[in-house]
Amino acid sequence: MKIVIQPARPEQRRDRPAGDKLVFGKNFSDHMFLMDYRENGGWRDPRVVPYDNLTMDPAAMVLHYGQGIFEGLKAYRWADGRIHLFRPEKNVERFNRSARRMCLPEVDPNLHLEAIEALVRIDAEWVPRSAGSSLYIRPTMIATEAALGVRPAHECLFYIITGPVGAYYPEGFNPVRIYVSDEYVRTVRGGLGEAKTMANYAASLYAQEIAKKKGFTQVLWLDAVERRYVEEVGTMNIFFRIDDELVTPPLTGSILPGITRDSVIQLAGHWGIKVTERLISIDEVMETIETGAMKEIFGAGTAAVISPVGSLFFKEKTYKVQDGGVGEWSRRLFDEITGIQYGEKEDPFGWVREVKP
Ligand SMILES: *Cc1c(COP(=O)(O)O)cnc(C)c1O
C-alpha cells in the first residue's frame, strides 16, 4: 500500500514553540498519519494529512470499552543535522503484540515504519535542535466502530501524531522520591500489564494522585497477588544495583517489556556487568538498602531514559538509597544510551536508524 501525502497549506500550519519552551505532550506537529480498518477489507487508505481533530461517533467502542493501544518513541537530531530513530523496529513489533492482546488488528511492520518515517520527514523542521530535545512519536490504535456491546470492534483507526519535547532533565540529572503503593495495584498477571493499552494508565491514576499529594514523584508498583514483588516504577521498568550485580524483575506478564529495559540489559552485559532477571521482594529491597548493599535504584523508559531513585517511602518510613544522589551506573547508562541516540557514541548494536531526507 502506498502512503498518500497531503501537505498542510500555510494556514493549516501550527505555531512551533521555541527550543527552550518545549513542554512534554503539549505541542503537536503539522501533520498526522491515518489509516482505516474494516474487518472485511482490512487496512486501507494510509495517508499523511494536516493535523486536525478526529471525528467519530459517540458510540465509538474505544470510548466505552477502552479498546485502544499506543506506542512512544523519539526522533533525535544529530549535530550534523541528520535525524535518527532509536530501535523503532521494537516499537512496531510491540505495537502488534499489544494489538493481539487487545483483539485489535495488526499493522504490517514495514508499513508502520514507513508511516513513522514519512511523518518525521514531512515535519523534519519540527525535530528540535536544543540539547537533549527530540520529536516524540505516538502511534495509536482505537476501536472506532459505533456499537454498544462488549466484543472486539470490527472497525478501527490507526493514527500517528508527533510533537517536539524538551530535555527531560533541563536542570541536570535529578534523583526522584518514590512512594511504594501497597494498597493499589497497576495490573495483575494475566491482565493487561504487558500491553501498552490505555486501561493500564487509567488504573494507575488514583495511586499516582495519592503519591503526588504526599509529595512524591512516582509510584513503585508491587505485584497484585501478594503485594510483595516489585514490578515497575511509574511508567518505567525498574533496576537495582545490588553490590556489583544488576537486578530487574522478569517479564511475568504484568510488566511492560520496555525497550529501554532491553537496551540497559544488553549494554550492561556488553560491559561485563552481571544482569539477573528475577523476582525481588520489597522486603529484600528495604533490607538491602539498610545493609548498604543496594548501591543504586533507577527507572528506565523512553521519556527519561534513566531516572535515578533517591529514596523509597514504604509503610510510613523513608529509605534513602546510599546518599540519595545519582549512582555511577545510572550516570554511565544514561550517558551511553543518549550518546548513541544523538550519534555522539558508537552504536555497537545497530540501534539507530536514519530517517533519510
Ligand atoms: C512505555 C512503558 C515503559 C517503558 O518502555 P520503553 O519502551 O522503554 O519506553 C515501561 N512501563 C510502562 C508501564 C510503560 O507504559
Side-chain angles (χ1 to χ4, degrees):
M1 266 189 297
K2 190 157 162 34
I3 300 173
V4 173
I5 304 215
Q6 181 198 329
R9 295 188 304 271
E11 72 275 14
Q12 289 173 311
R13 298 203 183 260
R14 306 161 66 85
D15 288 333
R16 205 170 335 133
D20 58 348
K21 298 220 166 47
L22 298 173
V23 184
F24 182 88
K26 284 284 182 196
N27 301 287
F28 300 98
S29 321
D30 287 336
H31 297 85
M32 62 183 183
F33 173 87
L34 301 174
M35 180 162 74
D36 309 295
Y37 177 89
R38 267 173 197 277
E39 196 164 76
N40 23 21
W43 288 109
R44 64 181 173 86
D45 212 5
R47 57 208 187 270
V48 169
V49 296
Y51 189 99
D52 201 357
N53 292 341
L54 299 175
T55 55
M56 68 180 98
D57 195 289
M61 290 175 90
V62 66
L63 302 177
H64 302 269
Y65 311 118
Q67 197 190 1
I69 57 169
F70 62 88
E71 267 305 323
L73 68 160
K74 289 171 168 178
Y76 307 85
R77 188 179 292 281
W78 288 12
D80 63 8
R82 291 185 302 150
I83 299 168
H84 291 75
L85 302 169
F86 182 73
R87 310 188 74 188
E89 310 81 8
K90 289 278 172 196
N91 295 92
V92 162
E93 185 191 311
R94 186 172 64 191
F95 192 68
N96 279 345
R97 266 186 279 138
S98 300
R100 284 197 292 276
R101 180 65 181 84
M102 298 309 293
C103 301
L104 286 162
E106 294 181 37
V107 175
D108 172 51
N110 290 323
L111 179 63
H112 190 161
L113 273 178
E114 230 181 275
I116 290 172
E117 294 192 345
L119 203 50
V120 171
R121 202 172 288 126
I122 197 168
D123 282 332
E125 274 313 302
W126 283 83
V127 184
R129 292 175 160 78
S130 46
S133 66
S134 55
L135 186 75
Y136 186 76
I137 303 165
R138 170 54 63 92
T140 309
M141 196 192 298
I142 53 173
T144 49
E145 182 187 351
L148 300 185
V150 179
R151 57 160 174 81
H154 301 315
E155 288 164 32
C156 63
L157 173 70
F158 169 45
Y159 66 92
I160 311 175
I161 52 176
T162 71
V165 298
Y168 199 87
Y169 298 107
E171 278 116 39
F173 216 23
N174 201 4
V176 290
R177 299 172 61 227
I178 299 296
Y179 177 80
V180 181
S181 173
D182 59 350
E183 187 174 5
Y184 299 101
V185 297
R186 189 185 86 92
T187 178
V188 59
R189 250 185 240 192
L192 300 176
E194 64 187 346
K196 227 169 164 70
T197 184
M198 297 161 181
N200 288 334
Y201 305 86
S204 74
L205 298 176
Y206 197 80
Q208 178 68 37
E209 279 304 288
I210 294 175
K212 219 161 124 194
K213 279 199 196 99
K214 292 181 189 261
F216 298 92
T217 322
Q218 294 277 7
V219 173
L220 186 137
W221 303 103
L222 301 179
D223 82 276
V225 178
E226 297 186 59
R227 312 282 160 96
R228 182 161 166 230
Y229 296 104
V230 173
E231 301 223 307
E232 298 200 51
V233 59
T235 56
M236 287 178 290
N237 295 111
I238 192 161
F239 284 86
F240 303 91
R241 175 184 173 186
I242 301 175
D243 289 321
D244 282 323
E245 179 182 358
L246 206 51
V247 176
T248 193
L251 301 176
T252 51
S254 48
I255 290 176
L256 199 284
I259 294 160
T260 318
R261 175 186 183 276
D262 184 75
S263 305
V264 166
I265 292 173
Q266 283 196 51
L267 262 180
H270 183 65
W271 290 338
I273 292 170
K274 183 172 179 215
V275 186
T276 310
E277 293 176 63
R278 67 163 169 89
L279 294 178
I280 178 164
S281 70
I282 191 69
D283 302 318
E284 180 185 348
V285 170
M286 298 317 175
E287 240 172 70
T288 317
I289 290 178
E290 290 195 320
T291 63
M294 185 70 78
K295 304 293 186 217
E296 306 178 34
I297 303 179
F298 59 88
T302 295
V305 185
I306 299 292
S307 181
V309 171
S311 65
L312 296 176
F313 184 78
F314 182 54
K315 295 201 192 293
E316 305 307 311
K317 200 172 153 198
T318 297
Y319 297 79
K320 204 153 125 190
V321 184
Q322 297 291 336
D323 61 357
V326 177
E328 178 201 339
W329 289 5
S330 307
R331 161 72 59 195
R332 187 173 174 205
L333 284 160
F334 179 83
D335 288 347
E336 193 70 21
I337 295 172
T338 54
I340 294 171
Q341 290 169 337
Y342 288 94
E344 292 151 1
K345 294 215 167 177
E346 211 195 314
D347 174 21
F349 304 101
W351 282 342
V352 295
R353 175 182 167 114
E354 186 183 0
V355 180
K356 295 264 167 51

